[in-house]
Amino acid sequence: MNPVIGLDVAKGESQVQAFLDKRKPYRKSFSILHHVEEFNTVFLKFLKEIETLAGKMPTVILESTGHYHTPIVQFLEEHQYVYIIVNPFIAYRAKSSSLRKVKTDALDAFHLCELYYKEELEPYKKREIQHLNLRNLTRLHESISGVSAQTKLQLHSVLDQIFPEYVGVFGDLYSKVSLKTLLQFPTSKSVLSISECTLVDEIASLCKSRSDKWAKERAQKLRDAASRNPFQNNLFQSHIFNLEILITLILQYQEHLSKLDAEIDALAQEMEEYKILQSIPGIGEKIAATIISEIGEIDRFNHPKKLVAFAGVDPSVYASGKFTASVNRITKRGSSSLRHALYMAVRCGIRDARKKKTTDEMIPRNKRLREFYDKKRNEGKPFRVAVIACVNKLLHWIYALLKSKTDFQDTPQKLHPAK
């Protein structure tokens, strides 16, 4: 026998349906709450019952539901049961196979069991937990980075209404010393009301790694900017209040992102793929960690085209009768975080970079990728189409490198994907 238990997972509860073998459903479906008591009594007892009847441990199949399925997954991990998490698109296709328009949790669990016998589905491996930990960290990093970018735009907008001349005082407006200086001296009046010597000491105390000469130069620039500032008297105190809040938020975001960077790097260093991906010009630590976490185990894919489809950058195809669509957009059915990381990797790879500081000669970071991009552009492809083609090419390289566990070579050579 080949027993399976299908779970239709919802928030806080799941519908359970069991099959002892193909076309042999066992008992009616029932629901369990995601509570420790129900897991240890009702669900575990049912798992043992199926194991006794079938003579082997049942496989559990469930649909990916964001984070609602994590209590079930943790329980199955602790009790060492094999489980399969299926893509929602595959699950939806299985649920829509009937002509009757019926949608219930019990029927969904039943269809998941049937799907187990129809499809060749890979169970989750222990190493997936490591990838999921990395994915949780990289996705939070991406989320906080997005919020931080929006907050910086708000800060710049408010600064334009209080102290627009401040922008050129420090090389990086959003560096810690710049933000902390602005927090202490948000207006022209606050800058000009103290002596230059005091201002130098304040700036020097905020950045002790720099020289006194640097602090004096910044102090002079700040006083000059305050003198030129069109807002010598600020009528709206609300702007100053908002500025202080926004600066505090950005500094907090920077601190959190720094902690996430350290945690991501420490976890990714344990993975062999991390260094392999960084051997590709244009892929740095953050992008490499994101790609690894989103792809997971490369052994799940037996062809690079499946990896391309998983990323959602494969072209959609529509043909009916004598009509064939001439404009085919990418499917976008995969991870948006993976697509964004690949897009950034391509943009970094095809960008020009100075070869040496002593020469003005400019070469692309990734010569092979830039040659492929230029070829597509010369064929008349628009920018976005050419970039997506490069993403597709990059995924083929990633597949071949991870399968063979070798580093990227700048000299063109044919990479044979493992069969």
Side-chain angles (χ1 to χ4, degrees):
M1 290 187 177
N2 187 13
V4 65
I5 294 177
L7 294 177
D8 184 67
V9 182
K11 183 178 181 180
E13 63 177 349
S14 294
Q15 194 74 20
V16 184
Q17 174 66 62
F19 273 52
L20 294 178
D21 209 342
K22 188 175 183 180
R23 296 174 183 164
K24 290 184 179 180
Y26 177 72
R27 286 178 46 179
K28 289 185 178 180
S29 65
F30 61 94
S31 64
I32 57 169
L33 297 174
H34 293 177
H35 294 167
V36 175
E37 185 178 350
E38 294 238 342
F39 282 162
N40 291 330
T41 56
V42 180
F43 190 44
L44 185 58
K45 183 180 178 181
F46 187 67
L47 287 167
K48 296 294 184 183
E49 182 181 340
I50 298 298
E51 184 178 350
T52 302
L53 291 171
K56 62 180 292 189
M57 294 178 69
T59 300
V60 179
I61 182 171
L62 60 153
E63 179 185 345
S64 178
T65 55
H67 60 274
Y68 293 152
H69 63 273
T70 51
I72 290 283
V73 169
Q74 182 162 328
F75 173 80
L76 295 172
E77 283 282 350
E78 289 173 354
H79 291 81
Q80 298 182 344
Y81 279 93
V82 176
Y83 60 94
I84 298 171
I85 300 178
V86 298
N87 188 289
F89 283 107
I90 297 175
Y92 177 78
R93 186 182 64 188
K95 297 170 186 177
S96 305
S97 59
S98 175
L99 289 174
R100 296 183 63 197
K101 191 174 182 180
V102 181
K103 169 69 175 74
T104 64
D105 293 342
L107 195 60
D108 288 347
F110 191 93
H111 285 317
L112 283 171
C113 289
E114 291 184 324
L115 178 65
Y116 171 77
Y117 296 110
K118 292 178 182 177
E119 301 279 351
E120 294 182 5
L121 303 171
E122 288 287 331
Y124 257 50
K125 300 177 181 178
K126 289 292 182 183
R127 197 158 173 266
E128 283 293 334
I129 300 299
Q130 192 178 24
H131 284 100
L132 289 173
N133 279 326
L134 187 59
R135 185 185 303 173
N136 291 337
L137 294 172
T138 54
R139 287 188 176 181
L140 181 60
H141 190 288
E142 182 182 8
S143 177
I144 294 179
S145 295
V147 175
S148 179
Q150 289 296 321
T151 308
K152 287 177 180 178
L153 291 175
Q154 289 179 291
L155 172 63
H156 210 298
S157 176
V158 175
L159 189 61
D160 284 343
Q161 302 172 70
I162 300 176
F163 200 165
E165 294 296 323
Y166 182 85
V167 174
V169 173
F170 291 88
D172 181 7
L173 174 62
Y174 303 108
S175 65
K176 286 186 179 181
V177 62
S178 173
L179 291 175
K180 288 181 178 179
T181 302
L182 184 59
L183 193 60
Q184 288 192 28
F185 308 103
T187 63
S188 292
K189 186 177 180 180
S190 61
V191 174
L192 299 175
S193 61
I194 61 173
S195 65
E196 184 175 349
C197 183
T198 304
L199 188 59
V200 170
D201 292 340
E202 290 291 341
I203 294 176
S205 66
L206 293 174
C207 190
K208 296 179 180 179
S209 61
R210 305 301 291 263
S211 64
D212 292 338
K213 181 181 177 182
W214 179 87
K216 289 179 181 179
E217 290 175 353
R218 299 284 83 74
Q220 185 58 50
K221 278 192 172 185
L222 183 56
R223 290 182 67 85
D224 292 343
S227 301
R228 297 193 307 270
N229 186 31
F231 301 101
Q232 293 293 320
N233 296 307
N234 295 95
L235 300 178
F236 302 102
Q237 285 298 121
S238 59
H239 286 332
I240 300 173
F241 181 81
N242 289 344
L243 185 73
E244 292 174 352
I245 294 294
L246 292 170
I247 291 173
T248 304
L249 284 174
I250 292 172
L251 288 171
Q252 289 176 348
Y253 291 146
Q254 289 177 350
E255 183 180 353
H256 295 323
L257 288 172
S258 178
K259 289 180 180 178
L260 278 170
D261 283 331
E263 194 70 21
I264 288 169
D265 186 62
L267 185 58
Q269 288 287 358
E270 300 174 4
M271 303 179 182
E272 186 181 7
E273 309 100 293
Y274 189 51
K275 293 298 181 184
I276 292 175
L277 289 188
Q278 288 185 66
S279 68
I280 303 175
I283 296 183
E285 294 177 353
K286 176 62 174 59
I287 293 177
T290 302
I291 292 174
I292 292 169
S293 67
E294 296 296 332
I295 290 177
E297 289 281 359
I298 195 64
D299 292 338
R300 297 188 300 149
F301 309 97
N302 57 16
H303 197 279
K305 287 186 178 180
K306 290 188 177 182
L307 179 58
V308 171
F310 176 79
V313 292
D314 55 323
S316 57
V317 179
Y318 184 84
S320 180
K322 296 182 179 180
F323 173 77
T324 301
S326 58
V327 178
N328 297 315
R329 301 181 184 277
I330 59 174
T331 60
K332 290 189 178 181
R333 286 194 169 185
S335 164
S336 59
S337 297
L338 176 58
R339 284 195 301 277
H340 181 259
L342 292 167
Y343 176 81
M344 294 305 297
V346 168
R347 291 298 304 272
C348 292
I350 63 176
R351 185 181 301 158
D352 287 335
R354 185 165 292 161
K355 188 175 182 181
K356 294 180 181 178
K357 292 183 178 180
T358 56
T359 178
D360 293 331
E361 182 186 1
M362 303 294 285
I363 60 171
R365 298 176 190 272
N366 192 324
K367 187 177 180 181
R368 291 174 60 187
L369 195 62
R370 179 57 182 268
E371 288 174 354
F372 182 77
Y373 169 79
D374 290 338
K375 176 186 173 184
K376 291 297 176 183
R377 292 290 280 164
N378 292 334
E379 290 173 0
K381 304 293 184 185
F383 169 75
R384 288 185 178 274
V385 174
V387 169
I388 293 301
C390 290
V391 169
N392 196 306
K393 173 69 73 175
L394 182 61
L395 277 171
H396 278 71
W397 289 347
I398 289 172
Y399 179 87
L401 294 174
L402 294 183
K403 280 286 188 178
S404 61
K405 296 183 179 180
T406 56
D407 289 344
F408 181 80
Q409 301 295 326
D410 288 330
T411 55
Q413 61 180 21
K414 191 173 181 58
L415 295 170
H416 298 280
K419 295 183 179 179

